[in-house]
Amino acid sequence: MSWTDERVETLKKLWTEGLSASQIAAELGDVTRNAVIGKVHRLGLSGRAKTTSSSAPRPRRARTPSQPGARSSGGAAPKSVGNAALKMEPQMKPEAAPQAQPQAEPKSDVVVPISKRATILSLTEYTCKWPIGDPGDQEFHFCGNKSKSGLPYCDYHCKVAYQPVSDRRREKKAAQG
């Protein structure tokens, strides 16, 4: 297929009328959409007639609380004044940060008596299976204290292993902030 002067004029006319590259390709026949786009760029055709649907702003849908980014709190939304990206004027008072209640934090270094230290061969259903040390070292052992019923760890190691998700998120935010 070659671009004759007649086909180029037809392309220019259809382009300025606002037809899409696919529509122009179908109108010209024996030419692909990509060929039309390439020719338009080589000719330097940039101005296009605006269709009425593209010039009108799209109506916005109201967000439901289940959609991401939607406000879930019952409070009033902040009022935006002027360009919302530049200035936000809140109408409500900021809530005070919730005070973290002091909890008995587990000690970082638990000393396991030598008599309680367990090897892989001495572990039972009722002993804590928390590994202590490097498995390659001679001193490697398991906690060996009495485990909680139905769990593999003692009280202390359960607190370390099974942290509520909300506590972990709070601690992560505190470490980042």
Side-chain angles (χ1 to χ4, degrees):
M1 196 246 56
S2 63
W3 286 100
T4 62
D5 291 339
E6 179 182 316
R7 289 174 69 97
V8 170
E9 290 304 317
T10 306
L11 169 70
K12 287 179 181 179
K13 178 179 144 283
L14 295 174
W15 184 258
T16 55
E17 288 177 6
L19 270 66
S20 69
S22 298
Q23 292 169 328
I24 295 170
E27 187 77 26
L28 291 173
D30 194 34
V31 66
T32 64
R33 171 186 164 275
N34 285 337
V36 170
I37 292 170
K39 189 64 175 177
V40 164
H41 286 291
R42 285 189 299 277
L43 292 171
L45 302 176
S46 60
R48 292 184 55 115
K50 300 286 182 194
T51 59
T52 57
S53 63
S54 67
S55 63
R58 248 180 23 191
R60 298 191 80 138
R61 292 186 310 172
R63 287 186 183 173
T64 60
S66 64
Q67 289 178 324
R71 294 187 181 275
S72 59
S73 64
K79 178 182 172 187
S80 61
V81 178
N83 187 345
L86 298 176
K87 182 178 180 182
M88 292 295 290
E89 192 174 296
Q91 289 184 334
M92 57 186 178
K93 294 179 183 177
E95 296 178 14
Q99 297 292 328
Q101 295 190 8
Q103 296 179 356
E105 292 188 24
K107 297 176 187 173
S108 60
D109 295 327
V110 171
V111 178
V112 179
I114 292 176
S115 62
K116 295 281 188 178
R117 293 182 181 181
T119 64
I120 190 77
L121 299 175
S122 64
L123 289 177
T124 67
E125 181 180 337
Y126 305 104
T127 57
C128 178
K129 295 161 188 72
W130 188 268
I132 299 175
D134 184 1
D137 287 347
Q138 191 74 348
E139 293 291 315
F140 177 74
H141 59 278
F142 295 91
C143 174
N145 284 321
K146 185 174 188 236
S147 64
K148 289 181 93 171
S149 176
L151 295 172
Y153 306 125
C154 62
D155 287 333
Y156 170 77
H157 288 119
C158 279
K159 289 177 185 175
V160 174
Y162 306 117
Q163 296 179 7
V165 175
S166 60
D167 290 349
R168 283 184 287 178
R169 287 185 183 147
R170 188 177 310 122
E171 288 172 9
K172 186 176 178 182
K173 281 184 182 178
Q176 289 175 353

